[in-house]
Amino acid sequence: MKIGLYFGSFNPIHIGHLIIANHVANNTDVDQVWLVVSPQNPLKPSSVLLNEYDRLHLVLLAVEKNRKLKASNVEFKMPIPSYTIDTLTYLQEKYPKNEFSIILGSDSYCNISKWKNSDVLLNNYKLIIYLRPNFPVKENLPSNIKVLDAPLLNISSSLIRKTIKQNKSIQYLVHDAVCEEIERTGYYK
């Protein structure tokens, strides 16, 4: 099975994440997209992160009716902070028959040289890059790199957290089930 790994804090998961994951699932050769909830991204501060199990729960709610999308807690069992290369190594050992690719925005791709063992990632894994404004990707890339022009929304998890703190509605910014759960639990207040 071909699996696209879409890593993120998903703090919280929003419609933009789901549009990208679904677009990759529908417009590439991957059979399934796993949304990998990262307990701690080494390049982001952890002070504003909701508990990883609560973030995973929100991702599960968001993808539960789409069989091409799956929530993954694989990094919960690994040392923190999470490094993509370590997660890929673990997954290759656990699921040797699967082929894994990395889904990332062109903004992240422009910073990939800062990632742990980036040369191994670039040489040994397929990358699926979705274009983000102001982060062009050069042409004539190696065959293991596919560039997608995915539909993008100008929303972010930080915008959603700010909106919640202001006691404003996040309806239509997040999946309905995620909106209901955030309202019910008081997350991000």
Side-chain angles (χ1 to χ4, degrees):
M1 183 181 282
K2 293 182 178 181
I3 307 294
L5 300 173
Y6 186 13
F7 294 87
S9 301
F10 303 114
N11 188 40
I13 187 165
H14 55 68
I15 293 298
H17 294 129
L18 296 170
I19 288 171
I20 290 166
N22 197 59
H23 187 77
V24 169
N26 288 330
N27 295 285
T28 67
D29 65 348
V30 301
D31 300 305
Q32 200 171 48
V33 172
W34 292 2
L35 290 93
V36 181
V37 179
S38 299
Q40 171 60 56
N41 180 324
L43 301 177
K44 290 185 180 180
S46 62
S47 59
V48 296
L49 284 177
L50 187 66
N51 174 286
E52 62 261 29
Y53 290 98
D54 294 328
R55 289 183 283 124
L56 175 67
H57 177 64
L58 294 175
V59 174
L60 286 164
L61 289 172
V63 303
E64 72 181 342
K65 293 183 179 168
N66 187 333
R67 58 186 176 79
K68 284 196 150 206
L69 305 182
K70 176 184 170 185
S72 173
N73 66 351
V74 64
E75 291 191 340
F76 290 19
K77 306 167 185 98
M78 301 179 72
I80 295 175
S82 310
Y83 294 98
T84 302
I85 189 64
D86 297 336
T87 305
L88 283 163
T89 301
Y90 172 80
L91 287 171
Q92 287 290 178
E93 289 173 6
K94 186 168 180 168
Y95 304 103
K97 293 183 179 178
N98 288 349
E99 179 184 319
F100 294 98
S101 56
I102 306 161
I103 302 166
L104 69 163
S106 58
D107 54 335
S108 295
Y109 177 71
C110 289
N111 292 321
I112 203 163
S113 63
K114 296 179 182 176
W115 293 22
K116 179 180 176 184
N117 295 350
S118 60
D119 54 330
V120 176
L121 289 171
L122 291 168
N123 293 323
N124 297 303
Y125 291 94
K126 182 176 174 186
L127 303 182
I128 301 169
I129 302 170
Y130 58 92
L131 293 173
R132 308 250 341 206
N134 304 316
F135 292 95
V137 177
K138 66 181 181 180
E139 295 180 19
N140 302 321
L141 294 168
S143 62
N144 66 319
I145 298 178
K146 178 177 177 63
V147 179
L148 281 181
D149 196 11
L152 299 176
L153 294 177
N154 189 21
I155 61 174
S156 65
S157 296
S158 57
L159 167 74
I160 292 166
R161 293 190 306 270
K162 181 179 176 184
T163 302
I164 292 167
K165 284 188 185 341
Q166 295 172 343
N167 291 317
K168 295 178 182 175
S169 173
I170 58 169
Q171 187 177 21
Y172 310 118
L173 296 174
V174 298
H175 186 283
D176 288 344
V178 172
C179 184
E180 290 169 14
E181 186 67 2
I182 288 173
E183 287 175 359
R184 186 186 72 74
T185 60
Y187 292 153
Y188 304 108
K189 287 264 180 191

